[in-house]
Amino acid sequence: MKTILKNCKLITPPYSEEKLYDIFIEGGLIADIGENLHVEDARELDLDGHVVLPGFIDMHCNICEPGFENIEDISTVSRSAARGGFTSITCEPNTKPVIDNKTVVEYIISKSKAQASVNIYPYGSMSMGCEGTAIAEIGEMYEAGVVAISDGDEFIDSAALMRNVMRYSRMFDLPIMTHCEDRSLSGKGVMNEGYTASCLGLSGMPREAEELQVARNILLAEITGARLHIAHVSTGGSVRMVRDAKKRGLQVTCETCPHYFALTEEAVEDYNTFAKVNPPLRTQEDVEAILEGIADGTIDAIASGHSPTSRTDKDKEFGNAAYGISALETAFPISFTKLVETGIISLARLVELMSQKPAEILKLEQKGEIAVGKDADLIVIETKGTQIIEPELFASKAKFSPFAGQEVKGKVIYTIVGGKIVS
């Protein structure tokens, strides 16, 4: 099918923000970009000056299938992603069965092609069963199509095993996505350790639980030369260590999620289980450090951190409630409102964080950019109007959010995957 998107505003180089462009799409690719394009037999869609961005790429997303389809499945997560402007999402390996062999990788890829409206890229697990005891079949999974290795929100306690994983991964130049948590410190904690936890009578998870593992993994990456990516950074100390690692030329990247720069630990007051996440929400000081890291380039990417769970498991007393957040449909409006509207970063920088840099880290060479020859994975956004976040309208099965009722700017009007409008 031939399609021309007419009168688009493009905000990334080399395009002028003072002009309107047309984008010609053919065969799922961007075939041409210019002014006043006309192609015989092409369908035309007039965007009337709306901003067109490269589709977002989510580096940290729990799909739940196979094994936990009652919580989320490939169909619902892809619809939720499309509504949020994500044209590509990744699949954490802690499914059931775990993505620790080529058979499960092939299943995810095959099922995604059949049922998903967006691109889904699986992560392979670092360890068998995500149990942190033995290295998984990384080479087999690489050949089957994984784009990174990870143990999801589990962690490898053994420094020796992590070092071996890093050494082995260099053979395939795969990034190692790490959840950094020392559970001998976090223990039975359910929120950030500090004043708010004491007032609520809840056990805390100290920032050192994250920062010690960040320090260890950076040191091991320096020794082995591996490509290390630190997931969902939540503390100022983690930001400082990543900044230092980058200055020393190490192959270290990191991401954060909107709830870590838009909320603090105070969001759990009144025992709000919708704000119970792991890593936990931290202090205002940590939020400011993360905002600084976003602004100065220390933080490479913003991921949704979508980690759905059932409403039943959320509607419990705080200590027994499940961790998790429904975030695909709020990631962009929260980021736009908290970062772009406040002047902390430009919209072009937000595109780097949510599109260009994720594509670079995961080596998705056809993604993350609006250019001739690239995949026609695009989103059309509205930047001026406001909307209210209404979780009950989410396409995700996880219809809850700590941002419920908030007024935000930044709305996805169309999501286009491979030249096809999917939302």
Side-chain angles (χ1 to χ4, degrees):
M1 178 181 289
K2 299 177 182 179
T3 303
I4 299 179
L5 305 180
K6 304 288 291 185
N7 300 312
C8 310
K9 185 175 183 181
L10 306 179
I11 54 88
T12 55
Y15 309 108
S16 169
E17 293 188 38
E18 307 303 316
K19 296 181 180 180
L20 295 180
Y21 296 88
D22 298 344
I23 302 174
F24 172 43
I25 300 169
E26 184 177 21
L29 302 176
I30 298 173
D32 196 8
I33 302 172
E35 298 178 68
N36 302 312
L37 296 181
H38 176 74
V39 177
E40 188 175 351
D41 298 328
R43 180 186 63 162
E44 295 187 356
L45 178 61
D46 190 348
L47 297 181
D48 194 27
H50 280 98
V51 175
V52 177
L53 305 177
F56 301 141
I57 300 169
D58 194 0
M59 297 184 69
H60 196 97
C61 175
N62 284 275
I63 289 178
C64 301
E65 185 178 351
F68 304 99
E69 290 87 347
N70 61 309
I71 295 174
E72 194 80 282
D73 59 46
I74 286 174
S75 179
T76 58
V77 79
S78 64
R79 291 201 303 271
S80 184
R83 284 194 186 182
F86 290 97
T87 56
S88 298
I89 61 177
T90 54
C91 178
E92 292 291 335
N94 46 321
T95 51
K96 187 177 181 180
V98 168
I99 307 175
D100 61 4
N101 61 79
K102 67 176 184 179
T103 301
V104 185
V105 175
E106 290 167 351
Y107 170 84
I108 295 289
I109 292 174
S110 175
K111 190 84 178 280
S112 299
K113 288 179 178 178
Q115 295 188 2
S117 54
V118 301
N119 307 295
I120 296 180
Y121 297 97
Y123 290 165
S125 64
M126 291 187 278
S127 65
M128 296 299 296
C130 289
E131 294 177 350
T133 56
I135 296 179
E137 296 290 344
I138 295 172
E140 278 190 3
M141 293 187 290
Y142 170 74
E143 294 293 337
V146 300
V147 295
I149 54 173
S150 166
D151 268 5
D153 290 339
E154 298 300 325
F155 69 103
I156 291 182
D157 185 57
S158 168
L161 180 60
M162 178 61 84
R163 183 179 63 175
N164 288 338
V165 168
M166 289 187 178
R167 284 173 171 168
Y168 189 39
S169 73
R170 287 194 62 193
M171 296 173 60
F172 313 103
D173 196 28
L174 284 170
I176 300 171
M177 328 300 277
T178 56
H179 168 77
C180 294
E181 179 184 357
D182 185 328
R183 288 190 181 158
S184 70
L185 285 170
S186 59
K188 296 182 179 180
V190 293
M191 66 168 295
N192 184 55
E193 182 179 86
Y195 177 77
T196 302
S198 297
C199 290
L200 295 173
L202 297 172
S203 55
M205 304 167 71
R207 68 187 65 228
E208 304 93 88
E210 175 178 316
E211 293 169 357
L212 280 172
Q213 292 295 314
V214 169
R216 184 200 75 171
N217 290 345
I218 288 175
L219 176 60
L220 292 175
E222 183 173 19
I223 292 169
T224 61
R227 293 174 59 205
L228 173 66
H229 182 83
I230 299 169
H232 43 223
V233 166
S234 72
T235 78
S238 295
V239 175
R240 288 192 297 274
M241 284 186 279
V242 172
R243 183 180 290 119
D244 177 68
K246 287 176 178 286
K247 287 180 180 177
R248 292 189 286 119
L250 303 185
Q251 295 189 87
V252 175
T253 55
C254 74
E255 75 198 34
T256 193
C257 307
H259 40 283
Y260 295 121
F261 58 76
L263 298 172
T264 69
E265 60 186 357
E266 294 178 1
V268 305
E269 290 181 350
D270 298 325
Y271 303 96
N272 179 12
T273 60
F274 296 158
K276 185 179 180 182
V277 291
N278 187 20
L281 302 175
R282 305 289 186 180
T283 66
Q284 184 61 39
E285 180 182 4
D286 293 303
V287 167
E288 290 171 2
I290 288 171
L291 291 173
E292 182 181 352
I294 289 171
D296 69 13
T298 299
I299 293 174
D300 300 274
I302 293 175
S304 75
H306 184 68
S307 183
T309 188
S310 70
R311 183 64 181 263
T312 301
D313 287 333
K314 276 292 187 182
D315 290 339
K316 295 181 178 180
E317 62 182 35
F318 197 91
N320 294 324
Y323 294 100
I325 186 169
S326 187
L328 284 167
E329 293 168 64
T330 61
F332 170 63
I334 292 296
S335 297
F336 184 85
T337 302
K338 299 295 184 180
L339 300 176
V340 179
E341 281 293 293
T342 58
I344 294 172
I345 61 172
S346 65
L347 180 55
R349 169 63 178 149
L350 186 59
V351 170
E352 289 180 13
L353 289 158
M354 298 186 73
S355 298
Q356 294 171 357
K357 198 65 177 182
E360 178 183 321
I361 293 169
L362 298 175
K363 293 193 172 182
L364 304 178
E365 296 178 356
Q366 283 294 108
K367 312 294 184 185
E369 184 182 0
I370 298 177
V372 174
K374 299 291 185 179
D375 288 346
D377 291 356
L378 306 166
I379 59 172
V380 183
I381 65 167
E382 168 63 63
T383 61
K384 296 179 181 179
T386 62
Q387 59 178 320
I388 302 297
I389 293 176
E390 300 178 272
E392 63 273 14
L393 301 181
F394 286 175
S396 168
K397 292 181 181 180
K399 301 183 188 300
F400 58 84
S401 171
F403 299 110
Q406 288 197 23
E407 185 177 72
V408 292
K409 284 190 173 183
K411 182 178 181 180
V412 177
I413 302 173
Y414 297 113
T415 298
I416 301 168
V417 179
K420 179 182 178 182
I421 296 175
V422 297
S423 179

